[in-house]
Amino acid sequence: MFIVLVGAFALTRGDYTLPIEEVLRTLSGHGTLITYDVVVNNRLPRILTGVGVGMAFGMSGAIFQRLARNPLVSPDLIGINAGAALAAVLIITVIGSGWIPLGALVGSLVSALCVYLLAYRNGVSGNRLVLVGVGVTAIVGSLTAYLLTLADIYTAKSASMWLAGSLAGRSWTHVVLIGITLFAGVPAAIVVERQLRVLELGDDLARALGARVETVRGVLIALGVGLAAMATATAGPIGFVALVAPQLTRRLVADRAARLPTSGAIGALLVVASDLIARTVVAPTVLPVGVVTAFLGAPYLLFLIGRRVA
């Protein structure tokens, strides 16, 4: 319900403000050419892409945090987003901008595979996955920074915009791309959710209950990586959504079985609301949505770290 309300409000706001009655008239096929272009060709695909990307990040973060049993784990911190960023910057500086989504997807998957293989010692424990992920993120981040130093100022600016994470210019093609991801990922997450609850009991108890621990963990990691990789390929590495959404869900939803879809819904709400702020607060300047999510999410990360240290 909140997503619908925020999305409807976002349709009315921008450099061409429209009353909600005009938006509804346009969506029902009775608008003008101008309102059709603003609402249907511009704002609606941007908002729907934000909903899909937020859902994918939220569910991916929930999977990783529950697998590692660590609230600080997210695709941002274990190398997935860093791999996408390195591949995207490599493409921008060497080839151009046409293959960024595919390159980001491949970069995410390769980085995740490296983390998994480096963390594997007769299985993959949550803490080792986090430590290896942080190390890989640092290495990949330094390579990305090095590539940026080699680029000319215009190419470096273009790469920096993508690295910030943005929904600007997203079209119906992006809606279809992230929609297909969720069409496959959401049912898969619902199917494996029970196995995730079993793994949360600990490996020994899970084995005693008959779970094939490493197989299930591998499937869950692949699902989390796939969701985060496609979200990053669609809108860039929008930070902190995958970290914050599962934590808000833990505080709002007592039923563990409902936490995966709820994390997705809260992630969608965070991205759409942050993009609305990015488009309107300092208008006519439009900020990348990743700047807003970082501004809102960084204090929450410090809060979580402070609680664990205390």
Side-chain angles (χ1 to χ4, degrees):
M1 179 60 75
F2 285 115
I3 298 174
V4 174
L5 292 176
V6 173
F9 184 70
L11 282 174
T12 69
R13 289 295 179 268
D15 52 2
Y16 188 82
T17 302
L18 293 168
I20 189 64
E21 296 83 2
E22 189 65 34
V23 170
L24 294 175
R25 195 158 39 243
T26 302
L27 292 177
S28 63
H30 298 90
T32 66
L33 288 176
I34 294 176
T35 60
Y36 182 86
D37 186 58
V38 170
V39 175
V40 178
N41 290 339
N42 190 320
R43 293 179 187 167
L44 188 56
R46 179 176 184 141
I47 293 168
L48 291 179
T49 301
V51 170
V53 166
M55 287 190 69
F57 274 132
M59 294 180 65
S60 176
I63 290 172
F64 282 115
Q65 288 184 10
R66 293 176 62 178
L67 265 179
R69 286 177 283 175
N70 187 330
L72 300 178
V73 176
S74 76
D76 317 51
L77 301 179
I78 59 173
I80 297 172
N81 288 3
L86 175 60
V89 171
L90 183 63
I91 289 173
I92 292 172
T93 55
V94 177
I95 301 176
S97 59
W99 295 90
I100 290 177
L102 180 60
L105 176 62
V106 173
S108 297
L109 297 177
V110 170
S111 181
L113 180 61
C114 291
V115 170
Y116 183 83
L117 293 176
L118 291 171
Y120 191 88
R121 295 288 187 279
N122 296 319
V124 177
S125 71
N127 288 334
R128 192 159 55 236
L129 185 71
V130 174
L131 292 174
V132 172
V134 170
V136 170
T137 298
I139 295 171
V140 174
S142 66
L143 293 174
T144 304
Y146 176 68
L147 284 177
L148 287 174
T149 64
L150 299 179
D152 62 67
I153 187 170
Y154 299 105
T155 304
K157 182 179 180 181
S158 175
S160 298
M161 287 293 292
W162 189 90
L163 290 174
S166 175
L167 293 174
R170 296 307 183 266
S171 65
W172 287 103
T173 301
H174 298 92
V175 176
V176 172
L177 181 66
I178 196 64
I180 292 173
T181 302
L182 294 175
F183 183 77
V186 172
I190 293 174
V191 169
V192 300
E193 204 281 338
R194 183 178 178 279
Q195 297 298 317
L196 183 57
R197 277 182 281 159
V198 173
L199 286 188
E200 287 181 293
L201 300 174
D203 288 1
D204 293 337
L205 185 53
R207 289 190 181 94
L209 293 173
R212 300 172 64 181
V213 172
E214 292 309 323
T215 301
V216 172
R217 182 176 285 128
V219 170
L220 287 166
I221 290 174
L223 180 59
V225 168
L227 288 169
M230 289 303 296
T232 305
T234 304
I238 300 175
F240 291 99
V241 176
L243 173 74
V244 173
Q247 290 304 307
L248 293 178
T249 300
R250 283 185 59 192
R251 286 157 176 76
L252 296 174
V253 179
D255 183 4
R256 302 177 77 86
R259 286 182 179 175
L260 271 185
T262 306
S263 292
I266 291 179
L269 182 61
L270 287 174
V271 172
V272 174
S274 296
D275 187 54
L276 177 62
I277 293 172
R279 290 194 290 118
T280 57
V281 169
V282 292
T285 300
V286 178
L287 298 173
V289 64
V291 172
V292 178
T293 58
F295 183 79
L296 299 176
Y300 191 74
L301 174 61
L302 295 176
F303 166 73
L304 287 177
I305 294 174
R307 286 192 60 184
R308 288 179 70 83
V309 170

